[in-house]
Amino acid sequence: MGKKLLFVGAGAIGSYLGSFLSRAGHDVTLIDPWAEQVEAVRQHGISVTGPHDPFEARPRAVHLHEAARLPRDFDIAFVAMKAYDTAWATQLAVRHVSPDGYVVSSQNCWTDPTVAAMAGPGRAVGLVMSKIGVAMWKPGHVERGMEKGQGKGHDVFRAGEHDGRITARVTELAEMLSVIDGAQATDNLWGERWSKLSQNAMGNPVQAMSGLGSLEIASSEVGRAITIHLGAESARVGLALGFRVPKFGGATPEQWADADKRPGYEALDRMLTPTATSGRSWRASMAQDVIKGRPTEIEHMNGYVVSQGKERGVPTPVSSAVVETMREVDAGTRKPAPQNIEQTLRRAGV
């Protein structure tokens, strides 16, 4: 039976998930403060492209100021906003779910505790999304850039309870999302979340500060260097926190953590160096934010790695320097440019 689903956020990920779920027969409503997006969906629906057959979806779209008139009987509400908008978006979401409903954090960064604080731990579910890059460059059109099902046996979606139980609702949520790509329930939400955070932290700000795409960065020795340092620092912090961190960026956290040794660094550098069959150059979410003139999630991404590193006594000099550089980009005192990568490494003393 179809579910009644609410998405607070109709940007790239909200529109992508909502479109597939609408096509699958669920009753989908999107809320967004981006007026042009809401009007485009109302008039023409959402055009969805990517490594799959293109299609048009027609979910319901509602302006933020109209949300108060929505019913309070949704089965599931997805929060699909930037990390810094999590608190108010969750308050809005929980207002409209049924007494038996729950709120899903379908976001980057470490948003689950905030969702649980607003909705209650029993009504909060985490959703980690790996190997999926989506973009919305104009209203009414969402594009996926990553290859579908990349890697044998890879699961894009992992739905998890905060306490690690495999429950009926996270199993059902994973099954629901399987119409989009591989999905499973996980008993390791925090390890999965840290893995995703580490993947984001080593790629997003480098693209955002440099103005370069993923392939261009990987083709540069200095681009690979900053990527390795960021991956290594994130891995060391995650391991120090005691998380069971799955592979990210093509290597285990232990392999990333060994980047301070020459053999480990060289192995990672070889792994990151593009080949003739490497995919397209993509712009991650933080790079998209800079291009669109929006605030970035740097404080919630690399900034969170830095803060957790301080608590556990794990040095994070490159992550700290990246946060400083991105603060300048956000403030408009520094323009995105390739030379920012080398300057940031020098700032970190590397």
Side-chain angles (χ1 to χ4, degrees), residues 3 47 50 205 291:
K3 295 286 187 179
S47 171
I291 292 169

Side-chain angles (χ1 to χ4, degrees), residues 258-280:
D258 279 344
D260 56 346
K261 304 177 181 67
R262 184 170 180 176
Y265 184 96
E266 290 177 346
L268 291 167
D269 186 67
R270 286 193 300 271
M271 180 193 72
L272 292 175
T273 301
T275 65
T277 59
S278 296
R280 61 186 288 195

Side-chain angles (χ1 to χ4, degrees), residues 19-236:
S19 292
F20 271 94
L21 293 172
S22 177
R23 187 177 67 162
H26 299 285
D27 182 357
V28 175
T29 298
L30 309 174
I31 303 173
D32 204 88
W34 184 13
E36 292 82 1
Q37 166 68 353
V38 172
E39 289 303 316
V41 176
R42 285 177 169 178
Q43 294 174 25
H44 310 293
I46 302 175
S47 171
V48 185
T49 59
H52 49 69
D53 292 334
F55 67 95
E56 303 285 334
R58 298 303 296 254
R60 184 180 302 107
V62 175
H63 291 286
L64 183 59
H65 69 271
E66 300 172 327
R69 296 199 293 267
L70 288 173
R72 303 190 175 194
D73 61 352
F74 287 91
D75 297 305
I76 307 171
F78 294 80
V79 175
M81 299 292 293
K82 293 296 178 181
Y84 45 74
D85 287 324
T86 302
W88 71 259
T90 304
Q91 287 181 318
L92 176 60
V94 77
R95 184 187 308 158
H96 293 284
V97 293
S98 68
D100 295 327
Y102 59 91
V103 180
V104 178
S105 174
S106 50
Q107 304 165 270
N108 287 329
C109 306
W110 205 258
T111 52
D112 302 271
T114 301
V115 172
M118 299 295 168
R123 304 185 79 189
V125 167
L127 178 64
V128 181
M129 300 169 286
S130 301
K131 287 289 185 181
I132 181 170
V134 289
M136 179 168 277
W137 297 108
K138 60 182 181 180
H141 181 204
V142 64
E143 171 192 13
R144 179 174 174 183
M146 296 294 186
E147 294 300 321
K148 181 177 173 65
Q150 193 175 57
K152 184 177 180 181
H154 178 77
D155 292 296
V156 169
F157 301 105
R158 292 171 174 85
E161 299 281 5
H162 289 209
D163 61 7
R165 292 177 302 135
I166 300 292
T167 60
R169 68 181 184 180
V170 294
T171 301
E172 181 184 51
L173 178 59
E175 183 179 351
M176 185 186 307
L177 294 167
S178 67
V179 301
I180 308 172
D181 209 318
Q184 65 180 29
T186 180
D187 62 357
N188 184 28
L189 175 63
W190 305 115
E192 298 279 7
R193 186 68 90 189
W194 193 270
S195 175
K196 175 64 173 177
L197 178 70
S198 299
Q199 179 73 63
N200 286 150
M202 62 192 270
N204 271 259
V206 184
Q207 294 179 31
M209 72 169 66
S210 68
L212 301 174
S214 56
L215 190 58
E216 295 167 300
I217 291 167
S219 300
S220 158
E221 184 176 352
V222 71
R224 295 193 301 276
I226 196 170
T227 301
I228 292 169
H229 283 292
L230 291 172
E233 291 177 3
S234 298
R236 291 174 193 135

